[in-house]
Amino acid sequence: MPIQTVDYSAHDAPQRFVQSLRDTGFAVLRNHPLPQALIERIYARWLDFFNGDDKAPYRFDPKTQAGWFPPDVSETAKGHALKDLKEYYHVYTWGPIPESLKEDALAYHAEASHFAATLLSWIEAALPAEIAAKLSQPLSTMITDSPFTLLRVLRYPPLTGDEPAGALRAAAHEDINLITVLPAATGPGLEVKPRGGDWTPVPFESGALVINVGDMLQEATGGYLPSTPHRVLNPVGEFASQSRISLPLFLHPRGEVVLSERHTANSYLEERLRELGVKK
């Protein structure tokens, strides 16, 4: 079943959106309300930051996970031996942000979080009654005032030809959170592997949003909605010599939110961060 591209303004958008998540773990939304000019400005200004010499003071705090993660401490996807070919910055509303980048980053964080609450309401309304009844609270309220919702600004640097054999911009992984809101990046490469299917490219459409299910939503729905493996391949041709900027917003519940009999949001997050090697 292919990933659906859904017109956010269409009358049947909620149903088609959730069905695509159910089938593949992913959906693409066009004609959404998030401001494209703001997204493009963030891309351009953060690329300047990554290319500049002023990153060191913002190196991440291992305790809070806020700040800049250099390429040499990048994530190693669960089950993989090589680090991803990327650097990134963790933007939290309470964390350090370079002053020249702060206003746009926080504005986007707020707008995209509000938008995500609408999408979570769509999802909950479409759940079978027996699954919805097991939720500890409405999905949209799980993220209310959460300090853990994370805006990650990613830079995949140009390829040099000296990369370790087998290293990818992002090896196959699943996201930890409830849902991820991802504007189209500055280049293609994102692929997904739905249940029972083969690796397939996620439609790359400028101005669109990619939404995917995370492990926490899979956990909260007892597997009804799948958290699907995805990866970012190393490009060839003109894109190989260019940086790729990506801006995922990971919608995390508050730490005390009960996901299932096994996990709160906090216990699940701590477990996964240890598996990724970014937290002891």
Side-chain angles (χ1 to χ4, degrees), residues 98-269:
E99 197 61 37
S100 63
L101 303 171
K102 187 172 186 176
E103 182 177 357
D104 282 348
L106 292 182
Y108 179 77
H109 191 294
E111 289 200 45
S113 295
H114 180 74
F115 175 72
T118 297
L119 299 183
L120 288 169
S121 296
W122 285 8
I123 292 168
E124 184 172 356
L127 292 176
E130 64 272 19
I131 293 176
K134 292 181 180 180
L135 297 175
S136 64
Q137 61 183 272
L139 291 174
S140 61
T141 68
M142 289 183 180
I143 62 171
T144 302
D145 297 326
S146 173
F148 301 109
T149 287
L150 165 64
L151 181 62
R152 174 183 280 183
V153 190
L154 276 156
R155 176 192 180 238
Y156 302 96
L159 300 181
T160 64
D162 296 326
E163 292 78 20
L168 294 178
R169 281 185 158 178
H173 65 283
E174 298 86 38
D175 291 346
I176 304 171
N177 42 289
L178 285 175
I179 61 172
T180 302
V181 175
L182 176 67
T186 58
L190 181 61
E191 291 193 339
V192 61
K193 193 175 190 297
R195 290 183 290 197
D198 296 322
W199 285 106
T200 184
V202 175
F204 178 65
E205 181 179 328
S206 180
L209 290 176
V210 177
I211 312 296
N212 67 276
V213 174
D215 289 347
M216 290 185 179
L217 185 54
Q218 178 176 264
E219 183 78 14
T221 62
Y224 179 79
L225 292 169
S227 180
T228 307
H230 50 286
R231 65 188 183 184
V232 179
L233 294 184
N234 298 344
V236 295
E238 63 175 309
F239 288 108
S241 61
Q242 301 173 15
S243 291
R244 181 180 187 270
I245 303 295
S246 182
L247 191 66
L249 181 72
F250 301 109
L251 279 301
H252 279 271
R254 298 179 307 281
E256 75 277 8
V257 169
V258 174
L259 299 174
S260 67
E261 293 182 356
R262 300 191 307 158
H263 279 296
T264 64
N266 187 64
S267 71
Y268 207 170
L269 178 60

